[in-house]
Amino acid sequence: MFNALTHHQSANFDEQINQLAQLISNSHHTIALTGAGISVASDIPDLEQLSGGTTGSLSSESYLEAHPDDFYRQFHQLFIDPIFNVGPTAAHKVLAQLEHHQLLDGVITTNVDYLHERAGSHNTANIWSSLNINHCVQCGRIYPLEILREPVPHCPNCGGLISPDPIFRNIATVPAERERADLWTNTADLVLVTGANGYYDHVESRSTLVDINPAQTEFDDRATLVIRATADKTFVALADKLNLPIMTVTN
Ligand SMILES: [Zn+2]
């Protein structure tokens, strides 16, 4: 009985992966919309969690300026250590491979962890900004992700404190990133929604949708295909089906 049930479930999953591969092969413009669900395997929290709960002190720039040591100690634990120690997930890598093989126009993400780029994706829209944009609170210069590896990062130009751009935006979209995202959603005939927790309403109603999420989402009703599995499990199976390597794209 147990074996039969397991067999039935995995057969169903295989069939869904076949269908997903077919949809991607038949599509002219596929895009992915990703959210916190794709990065949980890297232990990175949802940006929305920062606005409340135990991480509330991370959401105020005045706290950063008053207590830089404590701010960055928490910030490293939550974001920087997982980003550098764990890195992109299998799902990030497969999405980068899909772009590299001209099977994906771009990735729109509400995540700020910059893991799509670190997996090798070029065409990304970081609509809530990313940790690759960090400004000096004194002179305003911008520095990339690497500067956040310093225990308490300071500006090489003027010595001012460095402030990570997405943390204090209060989930406001970045206009230039939003514009790029709109170009993709306007032309997409297939949208892969992966662990996403927002931005649904920007997807055109004529686009075919696939929802990849272990939990039920508000998106399921509109989806042509609902895959109730993690992003990693789904994209690893898809890579196998499409003969794509599961590795970072390097140039
Ligand atoms: Zn400066």
Side-chain angles (χ1 to χ4, degrees):
M1 186 64 188
F2 178 77
N3 283 341
L5 185 65
T6 307
H7 176 74
H8 172 74
Q9 284 180 335
S10 63
N12 189 33
F13 178 73
D14 290 347
E15 187 42 52
Q16 290 178 327
I17 295 301
N18 281 337
Q19 207 185 333
L20 176 60
Q22 197 115 55
L23 284 169
I24 291 172
S25 304
N26 293 339
S27 153
H28 296 291
H29 294 288
T30 301
I31 61 169
L33 172 57
T34 72
I38 196 173
S39 292
V40 286
S42 296
D43 293 326
I44 295 168
D46 188 334
L47 189 64
E48 283 170 306
Q49 290 170 11
L50 290 183
S51 47
T54 53
T55 57
S57 56
L58 288 190
S59 62
S60 131
E61 196 162 26
S62 58
Y63 189 82
L64 162 66
E65 297 195 40
H67 307 280
D69 291 348
D70 187 54
F71 175 91
Y72 271 107
R73 187 185 51 75
Q74 292 187 59
F75 186 71
H76 273 253
Q77 226 166 36
L78 281 169
F79 283 102
I80 301 306
D81 294 348
I83 285 174
F84 285 104
N85 298 343
V86 185
T89 63
H92 288 103
K93 292 173 187 170
V94 174
L95 283 168
Q97 290 288 340
L98 286 170
E99 181 195 307
H100 190 63
H101 289 83
Q102 282 90 46
L103 293 168
L104 190 74
D105 286 6
V107 177
I108 300 168
T109 187
T110 54
N111 294 338
V112 299
D113 52 40
Y114 208 61
L115 288 179
H116 285 298
E117 288 83 352
R118 293 195 60 226
S121 287
H122 285 113
N123 298 333
T124 59
N126 296 300
I127 54 170
W128 288 349
S129 191
S130 84
L131 294 177
N132 201 42
I133 300 175
N134 306 284
H135 67 268
C136 166
V137 297
Q138 279 179 36
C139 74
R141 288 204 184 186
I142 304 289
Y143 296 97
L145 179 66
E146 281 295 321
I147 201 162
L148 297 178
R149 298 190 86 157
E150 298 290 321
V152 178
H154 286 89
C155 176
N157 180 47
C158 77
L161 200 57
I162 298 297
S163 174
D165 186 66
I167 304 303
F168 310 113
R169 297 187 67 85
N170 293 318
I171 317 181
T173 56
V174 181
E177 303 288 318
R178 200 28 220 290
E179 245 169 69
R180 192 161 47 242
D182 286 347
L183 281 178
W184 290 330
T185 53
N186 286 342
T187 52
D189 46 27
L190 177 63
V191 182
L192 313 179
V193 183
T194 308
N197 52 354
Y199 212 68
Y200 297 135
D201 43 326
H202 298 280
V203 173
E204 299 284 325
S205 54
R206 55 173 174 71
S207 307
T208 298
L209 303 178
V210 178
D211 194 19
I212 301 160
N213 202 313
Q216 197 174 342
T217 77
E218 55 182 294
F219 219 39
D220 287 353
D221 290 345
R222 281 183 56 193
T224 297
L225 175 62
V226 175
I227 301 178
R228 282 260 194 280
T230 62
D232 273 357
K233 183 183 175 189
T234 304
F235 282 99
V236 165
L238 177 69
D240 188 48
K241 181 64 61 185
L242 297 174
N243 288 317
L244 299 175
I246 302 167
M247 56 188 284
T248 297
V249 174
T250 51
N251 296 288

Short mmCIF file of all heavy atoms in Angstrom, two decimals, residues 126-153:
data_model
loop_
_atom_site.label_atom_id
_atom_site.label_comp_id
_atom_site.label_asym_id
_atom_site.label_seq_id
_atom_site.Cartn_x
_atom_site.Cartn_y
_atom_site.Cartn_z
N ASN A 126 15.73 42.87 -10.33
CA ASN A 126 15.65 42.81 -8.86
C ASN A 126 14.70 43.91 -8.41
O ASN A 126 15.13 45.01 -8.05
CB ASN A 126 17.04 42.98 -8.24
CG ASN A 126 17.98 41.85 -8.60
OD1 ASN A 126 17.71 40.69 -8.29
ND2 ASN A 126 19.06 42.17 -9.29
N ILE A 127 13.41 43.60 -8.45
CA ILE A 127 12.43 44.69 -8.31
C ILE A 127 12.42 45.35 -6.92
O ILE A 127 11.97 46.47 -6.79
CB ILE A 127 11.01 44.24 -8.71
CG1 ILE A 127 10.61 43.01 -7.95
CG2 ILE A 127 10.90 44.05 -10.20
CD1 ILE A 127 9.15 42.70 -8.13
N TRP A 128 12.92 44.65 -5.90
CA TRP A 128 13.05 45.27 -4.57
C TRP A 128 14.51 45.60 -4.29
O TRP A 128 14.94 45.60 -3.15
CB TRP A 128 12.48 44.35 -3.48
CG TRP A 128 10.99 44.25 -3.48
CD1 TRP A 128 10.11 45.04 -4.18
CD2 TRP A 128 10.19 43.31 -2.75
NE1 TRP A 128 8.82 44.64 -3.93
CE2 TRP A 128 8.83 43.59 -3.06
CE3 TRP A 128 10.48 42.27 -1.88
CZ2 TRP A 128 7.78 42.85 -2.51
CZ3 TRP A 128 9.45 41.55 -1.34
CH2 TRP A 128 8.10 41.83 -1.65
N SER A 129 15.28 45.85 -5.33
CA SER A 129 16.72 46.12 -5.23
C SER A 129 17.48 44.85 -4.83
O SER A 129 16.89 43.77 -4.77
CB SER A 129 17.01 47.26 -4.25
OG SER A 129 18.36 47.66 -4.36
N SER A 130 18.79 44.99 -4.59
CA SER A 130 19.56 43.81 -4.20
C SER A 130 20.73 44.21 -3.32
O SER A 130 21.10 45.39 -3.26
CB SER A 130 20.08 43.06 -5.43
OG SER A 130 21.29 43.67 -5.88
N LEU A 131 21.32 43.23 -2.69
CA LEU A 131 22.47 43.48 -1.81
C LEU A 131 23.74 43.74 -2.61
O LEU A 131 24.81 43.86 -2.03
CB LEU A 131 22.66 42.32 -0.83
CG LEU A 131 21.53 42.15 0.17
CD1 LEU A 131 21.76 40.94 1.06
CD2 LEU A 131 21.38 43.41 1.03
N ASN A 132 23.61 43.86 -3.94
CA ASN A 132 24.76 44.29 -4.74
C ASN A 132 24.79 45.83 -4.85
O ASN A 132 25.63 46.38 -5.52
CB ASN A 132 24.68 43.68 -6.14
CG ASN A 132 26.04 43.68 -6.81
OD1 ASN A 132 27.06 43.38 -6.19
ND2 ASN A 132 26.08 44.05 -8.09
N ILE A 133 23.81 46.48 -4.19
CA ILE A 133 23.76 47.94 -4.20
C ILE A 133 23.77 48.40 -2.75
O ILE A 133 22.83 48.18 -1.98
CB ILE A 133 22.48 48.45 -4.91
CG1 ILE A 133 22.48 47.95 -6.36
CG2 ILE A 133 22.41 49.97 -4.85
CD1 ILE A 133 21.22 48.29 -7.12
N ASN A 134 24.89 49.03 -2.37
CA ASN A 134 25.07 49.48 -0.99
C ASN A 134 25.67 50.87 -1.04
O ASN A 134 26.65 51.10 -1.73
CB ASN A 134 26.04 48.54 -0.26
CG ASN A 134 25.57 47.09 -0.36
OD1 ASN A 134 24.64 46.68 0.31
ND2 ASN A 134 26.21 46.31 -1.24
N HIS A 135 25.04 51.80 -0.33
CA HIS A 135 25.53 53.17 -0.42
C HIS A 135 26.21 53.63 0.87
O HIS A 135 25.91 53.15 1.96
CB HIS A 135 24.41 54.13 -0.81
CG HIS A 135 23.35 54.28 0.25
ND1 HIS A 135 22.23 53.51 0.29
CD2 HIS A 135 23.29 55.12 1.31
CE1 HIS A 135 21.49 53.86 1.34
NE2 HIS A 135 22.12 54.83 1.98
N CYS A 136 27.12 54.60 0.68
CA CYS A 136 27.77 55.24 1.81
C CYS A 136 26.81 56.30 2.35
O CYS A 136 26.29 57.10 1.59
CB CYS A 136 29.08 55.88 1.36
SG CYS A 136 29.75 57.02 2.57
N VAL A 137 26.58 56.28 3.67
CA VAL A 137 25.61 57.22 4.24
C VAL A 137 26.14 58.66 4.21
O VAL A 137 25.36 59.60 4.34
CB VAL A 137 25.19 56.85 5.69
CG1 VAL A 137 24.48 55.50 5.73
CG2 VAL A 137 26.38 56.86 6.63
N GLN A 138 27.46 58.82 3.99
CA GLN A 138 28.02 60.19 3.95
C GLN A 138 28.16 60.73 2.54
O GLN A 138 27.67 61.82 2.24
CB GLN A 138 29.38 60.22 4.65
CG GLN A 138 29.25 60.30 6.17
CD GLN A 138 30.60 60.30 6.84
OE1 GLN A 138 31.56 60.88 6.34
NE2 GLN A 138 30.68 59.65 7.99
N CYS A 139 28.86 60.01 1.65
CA CYS A 139 29.13 60.57 0.32
C CYS A 139 28.23 59.98 -0.77
O CYS A 139 28.23 60.45 -1.90
CB CYS A 139 30.59 60.40 -0.07
SG CYS A 139 31.05 58.71 -0.52
N GLY A 140 27.48 58.93 -0.42
CA GLY A 140 26.51 58.39 -1.36
C GLY A 140 27.07 57.43 -2.40
O GLY A 140 26.32 56.91 -3.24
N ARG A 141 28.38 57.17 -2.40
CA ARG A 141 28.93 56.22 -3.38
C ARG A 141 28.31 54.84 -3.20
O ARG A 141 27.95 54.45 -2.09
CB ARG A 141 30.45 56.12 -3.22
CG ARG A 141 31.13 57.36 -3.71
CD ARG A 141 32.56 57.09 -4.10
NE ARG A 141 33.17 58.38 -4.47
CZ ARG A 141 34.38 58.53 -4.97
NH1 ARG A 141 35.14 57.46 -5.16
NH2 ARG A 141 34.85 59.72 -5.28
N ILE A 142 28.24 54.12 -4.33
CA ILE A 142 27.62 52.80 -4.34
C ILE A 142 28.70 51.71 -4.41
O ILE A 142 29.65 51.84 -5.19
CB ILE A 142 26.67 52.66 -5.57
CG1 ILE A 142 25.62 53.78 -5.58
CG2 ILE A 142 26.02 51.28 -5.62
CD1 ILE A 142 24.56 53.66 -4.52
N TYR A 143 28.52 50.66 -3.63
CA TYR A 143 29.49 49.55 -3.63
C TYR A 143 28.78 48.21 -3.82
O TYR A 143 27.66 48.04 -3.35
CB TYR A 143 30.28 49.55 -2.31
CG TYR A 143 31.11 50.80 -2.14
CD1 TYR A 143 30.64 51.87 -1.40
CD2 TYR A 143 32.35 50.91 -2.78
CE1 TYR A 143 31.39 53.04 -1.27
CE2 TYR A 143 33.10 52.07 -2.66
CZ TYR A 143 32.63 53.14 -1.90
OH TYR A 143 33.36 54.28 -1.79
N PRO A 144 29.45 47.24 -4.47
CA PRO A 144 28.83 45.93 -4.70
C PRO A 144 28.83 45.04 -3.46
O PRO A 144 29.41 45.37 -2.43
CB PRO A 144 29.68 45.33 -5.83
CG PRO A 144 31.01 45.99 -5.71
CD PRO A 144 30.76 47.35 -5.13
N LEU A 145 28.17 43.89 -3.61
CA LEU A 145 27.97 42.89 -2.54
C LEU A 145 29.23 42.61 -1.71
O LEU A 145 29.15 42.50 -0.48
CB LEU A 145 27.47 41.59 -3.20
CG LEU A 145 27.21 40.38 -2.33
CD1 LEU A 145 26.05 40.64 -1.38
CD2 LEU A 145 26.90 39.16 -3.19
N GLU A 146 30.38 42.51 -2.39
CA GLU A 146 31.62 42.12 -1.71
C GLU A 146 31.92 42.95 -0.47
O GLU A 146 32.47 42.44 0.51
CB GLU A 146 32.80 42.20 -2.68
CG GLU A 146 32.90 41.01 -3.62
CD GLU A 146 33.19 39.70 -2.89
OE1 GLU A 146 33.98 39.72 -1.94
OE2 GLU A 146 32.60 38.67 -3.29
N ILE A 147 31.58 44.25 -0.50
CA ILE A 147 31.93 45.13 0.62
C ILE A 147 31.24 44.68 1.91
O ILE A 147 31.73 44.93 3.01
CB ILE A 147 31.63 46.62 0.31
CG1 ILE A 147 32.47 47.52 1.24
CG2 ILE A 147 30.13 46.94 0.43
CD1 ILE A 147 32.60 48.95 0.79
N LEU A 148 30.10 43.96 1.76
CA LEU A 148 29.35 43.51 2.94
C LEU A 148 30.05 42.37 3.68
O LEU A 148 29.61 41.96 4.74
CB LEU A 148 27.93 43.11 2.55
CG LEU A 148 27.05 44.22 1.97
CD1 LEU A 148 25.69 43.66 1.58
CD2 LEU A 148 26.87 45.35 2.98
N ARG A 149 31.13 41.85 3.11
CA ARG A 149 31.87 40.79 3.82
C ARG A 149 32.67 41.36 4.99
O ARG A 149 33.04 40.64 5.90
CB ARG A 149 32.80 40.04 2.86
CG ARG A 149 32.05 39.35 1.75
CD ARG A 149 32.94 38.42 0.97
NE ARG A 149 33.00 37.11 1.62
CZ ARG A 149 33.32 36.00 0.97
NH1 ARG A 149 33.63 36.03 -0.30
NH2 ARG A 149 33.36 34.84 1.60
N GLU A 150 32.96 42.67 4.95
CA GLU A 150 33.64 43.32 6.08
C GLU A 150 32.74 43.22 7.31
O GLU A 150 31.52 43.37 7.19
CB GLU A 150 33.86 44.80 5.77
CG GLU A 150 34.74 45.09 4.57
CD GLU A 150 36.18 44.71 4.84
OE1 GLU A 150 36.65 44.95 5.96
OE2 GLU A 150 36.82 44.15 3.93
N PRO A 151 33.34 43.00 8.51
CA PRO A 151 32.50 42.91 9.72
C PRO A 151 31.59 44.13 9.89
O PRO A 151 30.41 43.98 10.16
CB PRO A 151 33.53 42.80 10.85
CG PRO A 151 34.76 42.26 10.20
CD PRO A 151 34.76 42.77 8.78
N VAL A 152 32.15 45.33 9.76
CA VAL A 152 31.33 46.56 9.74
C VAL A 152 31.88 47.39 8.57
O VAL A 152 32.90 48.06 8.71
CB VAL A 152 31.42 47.35 11.06
CG1 VAL A 152 30.59 48.63 10.96
CG2 VAL A 152 30.93 46.50 12.23
N PRO A 153 31.22 47.33 7.41
CA PRO A 153 31.79 47.95 6.23
C PRO A 153 31.75 49.47 6.24
O PRO A 153 30.74 50.08 6.63
CB PRO A 153 30.92 47.40 5.08
CG PRO A 153 29.67 46.94 5.72
CD PRO A 153 29.98 46.60 7.14
#
